[in-house]
Amino acid sequence: MALHIHEAWILLFVLPGLVTPAAINHEDYPTDEGDQTSSNDNLIFDDYRGKGCVDDSGFVYKLGERFFPGHSNCPCVCTEDGPVCDQPECPKIHPKCTKVEHNGCCPECKEVRNFCEYHGKNYKILEEFKPSPCEWCRCEPSNEVHCVVADCAVPECVNPVYEPEQCCPVCKNGPNCFAGTTIIPAGIEVKVDDCNICHCHNGDWWKPAQCSKRECQGKQAL
């Protein structure tokens, strides 16, 4: 009985050595998914160098053929050295342009600003406005604002006042001048005290009044 057990152990150690790699059938084992797709990664693409040109969308053009490589590119001619493209002198974009398109060879202005900006406010072309009582302005077609400031005449009084929404001061009580510290109306002689009669200079309202002494009419001494 002990002899049979010893022989069985000998067979277990000998049999694995008899199994060779050729005896294993690889069809019985599924190939790894990564190994299956690795052979498809090495795709072969056509080489168009010296034969043609390709645009942005992958379209192939023959040698000597004229084409546009992209939507915003200038026209090109396909050569053996690659595309040779036109480089025209594009017109300058208007400085007031607010919308520029680049769909062609040269950029195009599609919208020009049609208003003027002045002190944070927008005005239409040819619109007239008064930013202050003394200014008159207009929005020009060049999108620039031109203003004229009123030139006020010298008031004919020594106490002019500014009325709301009026640029220049006005003499509400008419022309006048100073006789000392007293304001007297122009055009008449005014007795400013018991001894002096004064009148304003004609046309020179800012000058002090001309005064002349008369016989004083003070109280007689008792």
Side-chain angles (χ1 to χ4, degrees):
M1 184 68 178
L3 179 62
H4 292 296
I5 293 174
H6 180 71
E7 293 175 351
W9 279 105
I10 294 175
L11 289 175
L12 289 174
F13 284 106
V14 173
L15 285 176
L18 297 176
V19 180
T20 62
I24 300 175
N25 188 357
H26 290 282
E27 295 181 356
D28 296 336
Y29 298 92
T31 305
D32 185 72
E33 184 177 354
D35 297 336
Q36 289 180 349
T37 58
S38 60
S39 60
N40 295 330
D41 293 339
N42 301 322
L43 298 178
I44 299 176
F45 294 95
D46 293 334
D47 187 0
Y48 293 103
R49 288 176 295 182
K51 303 176 184 179
C53 303
V54 183
D55 63 7
D56 293 349
S57 60
F59 193 85
V60 181
Y61 295 87
K62 299 178 182 179
L63 294 179
E65 195 170 0
R66 191 176 179 86
F67 70 103
F68 290 86
H71 294 294
S72 60
N73 298 93
C74 297
C76 303
V77 176
C78 182
T79 69
E80 292 184 355
D81 297 326
V84 177
C85 303
D86 295 338
Q87 296 295 330
E89 185 176 352
C90 296
K92 294 183 179 179
I93 299 296
H94 195 285
K96 302 295 183 180
C97 185
T98 57
K99 183 179 180 182
V100 181
E101 287 189 357
H102 300 274
N103 294 330
C105 180
C106 292
E108 294 184 53
C109 180
K110 294 298 182 180
E111 184 176 333
V112 178
R113 191 175 68 178
N114 59 351
F115 62 90
C116 300
E117 184 177 351
Y118 189 77
H119 292 175
K121 294 183 179 181
N122 295 336
Y123 300 92
K124 298 179 181 179
I125 299 297
L126 300 182
E127 182 180 357
E128 298 178 357
F129 57 96
K130 293 186 66 176
S132 70
C134 290
E135 288 181 287
W136 175 87
C137 302
R138 184 174 73 171
C139 175
E140 301 294 343
S142 61
N143 301 105
E144 296 179 352
V145 175
H146 289 173
C147 296
V148 176
V149 179
D151 186 13
C152 296
V154 178
E156 297 181 345
C157 60
V158 294
N159 56 350
V161 295
Y162 286 87
E163 296 287 350
E165 302 302 323
Q166 289 189 3
C167 173
C168 299
V170 296
C171 296
K172 298 188 68 173
N173 298 320
N176 56 38
C177 67
F178 275 113
T181 58
T182 304
I183 298 176
I184 62 173
I188 60 173
E189 290 186 344
V190 178
K191 185 179 180 181
V192 295
D193 55 32
D194 292 337
C195 301
N196 294 291
I197 296 178
C198 304
H199 69 276
C200 297
H201 290 270
N202 293 329
D204 297 333
W205 317 113
W206 61 91
K207 294 182 179 180
Q210 290 179 328
C211 297
S212 59
K213 284 183 177 289
R214 300 290 178 90
E215 183 178 352
C216 295
Q217 298 180 356
K219 294 182 178 180
Q220 295 181 356
L222 295 176

